[in-house]
Amino acid sequence: MLIKDVYPSKTQYLNGENIKIIVELSNKEFKSKSGYIIKCDIFHLNDRILQFESDLKNEELKEFEFNVNCDNESMAGFGVNVSLFNGNELIEDATTSFDVVKNSMYAPRYGFISDFFESDKDDYSDLIEMNKYHINLVQFYDWMYRHHELIPPTERFKDPLGRDLSINVVKQKILKAHEYGMKAMAYGAVYGSESEFFEKHKDWALLNNNDEYYEFANFIYIMDISKECEWHQHIIKEFLNAIKFGFDGIHMDQYGFPKEAVSMKDGLKRLRRLKDDFPELINDAKSYIENNGYDVKLIFNAVNNWPIDSVIDSKQDAVYIEVWPPNDTYQDLYNLIANVKKHGTTKQVILAAYMKPFSKSENTNIEYAENATILTMASIFASGGFHLLLGEENGILTEGYYPNYFKISDKRFICELRNYYDFIVSYEELLYGFDIIDDTMTYTGGINEEYVFKGAKFSPIAKEDSVWTIIKEKPGYKIINLINFTGVKNMNWNEGKEKRPNLLRDIEVVALVVEDVKEVFVASPDINHGHPQKISYEYVTHEQGRAIRFIIPELYIWDLVYITVEV
């Protein structure tokens, strides 16, 4: 291959920043050094908005630099196609994408790093790869000295589980992340304390109703986060220390329990309902850090959706849900995201859905794990959520302890993952726009006949052996997401899938669209590098008036259909 790789210089661009597309070339394979031309086309959805052309000389790196604004939009995604010609003959092409936003949290593509060993000094391969996935928000997991004391007293230190780490490497990674436009989020448990601190402050700890102190993983004691307890201010000051160190935000973790506990502060027994204490802690942390002169991003872990109702309106910058049983199905993933969006929040939703099939203990066929992962990603993305899954150097999370990630080596699957991340960037306005309305349960299925599909089994609920229809709209667009489960019998997202869904062809769609239709397009991360394909349509009679009829040529895993209409 003459084009080795194509990617943007940064994971994300703020409005007004110059965009740079980097093309890595293998000029040693050129039969001739003359006659080669390289073109770079920039697309916004189906429209080509810019084109650059350059003679190709004896180069190994080609850069195209330009500026694109998202105008009045809060976010805008763009596709990039780089083509190599010899004369008029197309030799090969490659694709990537980029987005321009007014606020990085409008499209928080969350990733992770967890290796901060001395051997990682000056090694930025993890962040280099994450940039190619457009991961713009990075959780630094278990980077700290202790849960109750984040900054280590020495340059080399052992973390709570005995890993020998370097705080200088942590600093290096933060600085390199900033070069790529990434926000560095410091992991910090909101109520975790090791024994040495706990023994000195037992009256700050929480107990169960049997007068036993709460512990997690047999070495972390759970402290009282209420404002009445000194721990509240102690941990907030630790978060400020992390921001002073160079982090951009705090990933505020909790363990999903206890939901209710007993405090013995000052010898007085008090019942603590943590769902009431979490919002106050989040808000106080935000105010305290900002009042000390620092901008800060906060993300709080609503473990398995608890306590989403009490924290959703707090001063966190995104809604983050770590997914566990009984949220086992693809429909559960959609429900978690849809539930947040029904609150009318302008905060994006991130699901930490760890892919257990990649865990060594599961002994699952790697191909089965890959199949499950693609279906899970498609379900989350089409539902309007982001997925915390990827990090390190092509690492994939398998469990809640991030250092036990699985490293992907299959280049074909890496390419597939990149296609999916390119896709959600290119089409982010149709997936994540704050003006999107979800019509899934009211426009198709059962008595709803505004959208009718033929050619397979279809359902607005994720079902085995069916095509899942997710229907949305926004000003100027009618949006149809099709997720293919044809031939899939197991609807649990975190279990290996023996095979991919059956390929479907010639799906007929009849859509009742009251507005004047301009054009119809279909795009998929599974084929044609995600480029949109224009579909012809015709008007047909509908019992409620006039509808359009069109044929979707093929469906592998996920098709995104968008109908442009007059506003």
Side-chain angles (χ1 to χ4, degrees), residues 211-474:
D211 294 333
E212 299 166 327
Y213 291 106
Y214 272 107
E215 284 186 77
F216 179 73
N218 295 319
F219 75 99
I220 301 174
Y221 291 88
I222 295 181
M223 311 301 279
D224 180 7
I225 63 170
S226 68
K227 204 160 189 172
E228 290 84 356
C229 180
E230 288 88 340
W231 172 266
H232 182 94
Q233 197 62 28
H234 169 84
I235 196 62
I236 289 175
K237 289 180 179 179
E238 287 299 313
F239 292 160
L240 174 61
N241 289 338
I243 300 302
K244 288 180 177 179
F245 181 74
F247 284 105
D248 303 290
I250 306 295
H251 181 95
M252 302 175 68
D253 194 25
Q254 55 122 346
Y255 308 135
F257 79 94
K259 294 180 172 64
E260 295 178 346
V262 175
S263 166
M264 289 298 294
K265 182 72 178 65
D266 298 326
L268 297 176
K269 181 177 286 190
R270 296 180 178 88
L271 175 66
R272 302 305 326 175
R273 290 184 172 88
L274 276 78
K275 68 176 184 179
D276 299 327
D277 293 333
F278 286 139
E280 191 167 41
L281 180 67
I282 296 167
N283 294 341
D284 286 355
K286 186 85 164 183
S287 297
Y288 184 81
I289 295 171
E290 289 183 343
N291 288 340
N292 274 273
Y294 296 90
D295 184 30
V296 63
K297 308 295 183 186
L298 295 182
I299 291 179
F300 175 83
N301 184 5
V303 176
N304 224 20
N305 211 36
W306 179 81
I308 198 69
D309 290 340
S310 68
V311 301
I312 194 168
D313 292 325
S314 66
K315 294 180 180 179
Q316 59 178 338
D317 293 275
V319 177
Y320 176 97
I321 302 170
E322 191 177 49
V323 186
W324 299 102
N327 289 301
D328 297 321
T329 69
Y330 297 105
Q331 183 67 37
D332 290 330
L333 298 176
Y334 166 87
N335 290 343
L336 290 171
I337 297 165
N339 176 62
V340 172
K341 292 182 178 292
K342 285 177 183 176
H343 283 79
T345 180
T346 55
K347 298 168 186 172
Q348 297 289 10
V349 187
I350 304 167
L351 297 189
Y354 311 132
M355 295 309 303
K356 183 175 63 175
F358 280 108
S359 174
K360 293 180 181 178
S361 62
E362 291 293 305
N363 198 29
T364 302
N365 182 295
I366 295 300
E367 184 178 345
Y368 296 3
E370 293 173 354
N371 296 342
T373 299
I374 291 298
L375 284 169
T376 297
M377 288 170 56
S379 298
I380 293 173
F381 295 154
S383 299
F386 294 89
H387 189 187
L388 173 63
L389 181 69
L390 303 179
E392 283 298 336
E393 189 177 357
N394 295 311
I396 194 163
L397 290 175
T398 65
E399 59 172 78
Y401 183 59
Y402 293 8
N404 289 341
Y405 63 86
F406 177 84
K407 188 170 183 177
I408 301 165
S409 57
D410 184 343
K411 292 183 179 180
R412 175 198 56 80
F413 189 56
I414 290 172
C415 181
E416 190 170 18
L417 291 173
R418 283 187 59 179
N419 285 342
Y420 267 67
Y421 274 74
D422 283 346
F423 190 80
I424 67 170
V425 173
S426 295
Y427 296 95
E428 69 183 16
E429 296 125 290
L430 303 182
L431 297 171
Y432 303 111
F434 296 121
D435 54 357
I436 291 175
I437 298 172
D438 194 329
D439 299 321
T440 296
M441 296 302 293
T442 55
Y443 272 57
T444 191
I447 67 167
N448 307 307
E449 294 188 343
E450 282 79 7
Y451 289 76
V452 178
F453 302 89
K454 294 181 181 178
K457 294 179 181 178
F458 296 87
S459 173
I461 298 172
K463 292 182 178 179
E464 66 178 36
D465 203 28
S466 296
V467 177
W468 187 13
T469 56
I470 302 175
I471 312 297
K472 300 183 180 183
E473 64 177 302
K474 63 176 288 179

Side-chain angles (χ1 to χ4, degrees), residues 130-190:
M130 291 165 72
N131 177 60
K132 296 176 183 179
Y133 288 107
H134 317 288
I135 292 173
N136 64 317
L137 194 69
V138 184
Q139 183 184 151
F140 282 57
Y141 182 91
D142 272 13
W143 63 278
M144 68 287 177
Y145 173 60
R146 294 291 182 267
H147 289 82
H148 62 266
E149 184 182 352
L150 300 182
I151 307 299
T154 57
E155 189 276 317
R156 295 280 294 273
F157 65 99
K158 289 188 181 297
D159 80 350
L161 288 181
R163 296 190 305 158
D164 189 7
L165 304 183
S166 165
I167 195 63
N168 287 347
V169 170
V170 174
K171 188 71 169 182
Q172 276 192 337
K173 300 285 188 181
I174 293 172
L175 294 175
K176 180 58 71 170
H178 289 165
E179 290 181 20
Y180 285 119
M182 302 171 181
K183 299 295 184 184
M185 304 292 290
Y187 175 92
V190 298

Side-chain angles (χ1 to χ4, degrees), residues 52-91:
F52 305 95
E53 182 177 314
S54 176
D55 292 336
L56 194 60
K57 301 172 184 177
N58 187 13
E59 300 169 283
E60 293 185 359
L61 204 67
K62 191 75 179 180
E63 296 180 351
F64 295 94
E65 191 166 349
F66 52 93
N67 188 276
V68 173
N69 289 321
C70 62
D71 299 323
N72 295 323
E73 296 286 340
S74 56
M75 66 187 83
F78 300 88
V80 179
N81 189 78
V82 174
S83 308
L84 184 64
F85 290 85
N86 191 351
N88 293 323
E89 179 187 1
L90 175 63
I91 305 300

